[in-house]
Structures are given as structure tokens and as C-alpha cells.
Amino acid sequence: DQQVKQNSPSLSVQEGRISILNCDYTNSMFDYFLWYKKYPAEGPTFLISISSIKDKNEDGRFTVFLNKSAKHLSLHIVPSQPGDSAVYFCAASADRGSTLGRLYFGRGTQLTVWP
Amino acid sequence: DAGVTQSPTHLIKTRGQQVTLRCSPKSGHDTVSWYQQALGQGPQFIFQYYEEEERQRGNFPDRFSGHQFPNYSSELNVNALLLGDSALYLCASSFGTSGWDTDTQYFGPGTRLTVL
């Protein structure tokens, strides 16, 4: 059963515009959410996270929004750059606030930023 | 500072064989987790090792086993390989198991296993 869902396998955005990647989850026990970015032939790299007690977390061009009632989170990238082109994974943890235990991943969204 | 390293990069096996994959954690890390990423899927948690013991386990059969050595490196063993075991196997390392939002797991590049 897929407890973390990314329903858009791909997203194409022009350079300079906003990229919005979406993620839904079903498990109410999730208390931390993370976004990872993956380039080909590399492992996923951590991008940004958010605790379930917050509704927004910002880090430079990246902002994650959490809507607990809808069990939905989104990653906003503004402005998008060609170097952002990668697969983005949404992940969740139910490890009592820890992000170092078991992570549940979505299937990923391939973001392509074109000039 | 070397990050997480995995070996081999690629591996081809036939059904019924056994395979061992290796992972060296990032310097200073003592915890290793293994994930399986099938084609078109997200990584699926196999298990995590801390202090040389299996701390958590996902929904994988007993054919999947692991080990952690005193130097914190780890092995993933898969017995009686099936075609469905073909996947990218990722190793992630961290320091401890109870981090907060400033801590994270670091992933290696993975081992691509093909079972024929």
C-alpha cells in the first residue's frame, strides 16, 4: 500500500517560473515530511523538511507547505533554474519526530526546467 | 570527506543465486539503512542497522538479511534471487537514530542489481 503518493510523474516548467510539486499521504501517524532530489547515477539528496506542527518551512528558493487536514504537502521552487531538473521524492516519517529512521517515499516527480 | 559509498555499482545475477551488496557510511556516521528502488517506484525501506543490530525492518521476506560491522560498514544479502529483486539498492547513513530537523540521512549512489 502506497502511504505517500505523488500523482504527477512529470512536470515541465520554464526557467524563472515557479515549480509546484505535490504530495499526498494517508497515514495520520506521519509527523515529519521531507523532500529529496535525485540526479541520475546519484543517490537522493536531502532538500528540505517540515514538522507536522508547522504549516510552512522556507529555505532559499525552496518552500514546503503542509496541510494536515487535507494530508497534502507541496514543494515550491521559485525561481526555477535548469539545474533544478531532477526527480523529486516526497518522504514521510512516523518515528516520533526523528527523521533518521524508516522513511516512506512517494514514486517521485521528474521536474524539467527549460530555458 | 567521503560520502556514502556502495559497491559494486552494477551486478548481474541469475535466479536462485545469492548476492551481497556493500555500503560504507559517511565519516562519523554509525547507522545504516537499506532501501530497494524498483523501476518507476520510490525507495522502499528494507531495514536499518545500529550498533551492529537490526533496529527496524520493513516488509521484506527473510531472504533479505544484513549485517553491520564494528567499523559501521554494512552488507545486504539476498538469497534465492527472484526476477522481482531486480532494482536499485540504496544505502543511507546517519549519526544515531533520533535526529531532529537539522539532521538527515545521506544516501549513496546505489547498486543496480539485475536478475536474469
Side-chain angles (χ1 to χ4, degrees):
Chain A
D1 62 332
Q2 194 77 16
Q3 299 186 49
V4 176
K5 300 176 184 178
Q6 294 177 259
N7 293 319
S8 298
S10 63
L11 175 67
S12 182
V13 171
Q14 187 176 24
E15 181 179 6
R17 302 260 186 187
I18 184 172
S19 295
I20 300 177
L21 296 98
N22 294 304
C23 177
D24 298 295
Y25 63 96
T26 58
N27 189 341
S28 300
M29 300 302 292
F30 289 147
D31 56 9
Y32 234 102
F33 302 90
L34 308 92
W35 285 93
Y36 279 83
K37 178 170 72 173
K38 186 179 186 302
Y39 293 117
E42 295 183 12
T45 55
F46 171 74
L47 197 56
I48 191 170
S49 65
I50 187 168
S51 163
S52 60
I53 62 172
K54 298 180 180 179
D55 55 18
K56 177 182 174 182
N57 188 28
E58 205 168 345
D59 184 2
R61 298 185 298 113
F62 303 92
T63 303
V64 56
F65 295 92
L66 175 62
N67 182 333
K68 279 188 66 177
S69 61
K71 293 189 174 67
H72 176 82
L73 62 155
S74 60
L75 173 68
H76 293 210
I77 307 174
V78 184
S80 301
Q81 300 173 354
D84 296 329
S85 297
V87 177
Y88 288 77
F89 289 102
C90 172
S93 170
D95 208 7
R96 297 184 301 277
S98 170
T99 58
L100 303 185
R102 176 178 184 170
L103 297 177
Y104 297 78
F105 283 86
R107 294 186 178 186
T109 296
Q110 171 69 58
L111 173 66
T112 302
V113 181
W114 47 281
Chain B
D1 175 24
V4 180
T5 59
Q6 293 186 242
S7 63
T9 305
H10 295 89
L11 202 52
I12 299 175
K13 292 285 188 179
T14 56
R15 279 179 297 175
Q17 285 190 311
Q18 179 263 346
V19 69
T20 297
L21 310 182
R22 296 176 176 83
C23 172
S24 291
K26 180 178 168 63
S27 177
H29 285 182
D30 59 4
T31 304
V32 173
S33 300
W34 287 92
Y35 288 81
Q36 179 196 66
Q37 185 183 3
L39 195 61
Q41 305 292 319
Q44 298 287 315
F45 178 80
I46 303 175
F47 42 53
Q48 182 181 77
Y49 276 83
Y50 173 64
E51 293 187 340
E52 300 182 49
E53 298 210 349
E54 185 181 287
R55 177 180 174 268
Q56 294 185 45
R57 187 178 182 93
N59 300 326
F60 279 80
D62 292 344
R63 298 187 298 109
F64 289 77
S65 63
H67 188 76
Q68 185 178 36
F69 299 93
N71 66 353
Y72 308 121
S73 67
S74 176
E75 287 182 350
L76 165 65
N77 300 292
V78 187
N79 294 323
L81 284 168
L82 304 174
L83 295 179
D85 295 331
S86 294
L88 179 68
Y89 288 85
L90 295 163
C91 169
S93 76
S94 62
F95 177 68
T97 57
S98 299
W100 302 100
D101 62 1
T102 56
D103 296 332
T104 186
Q105 300 186 44
Y106 290 80
F107 282 82
T111 293
R112 172 73 62 187
L113 172 65
T114 301
V115 182
L116 302 177

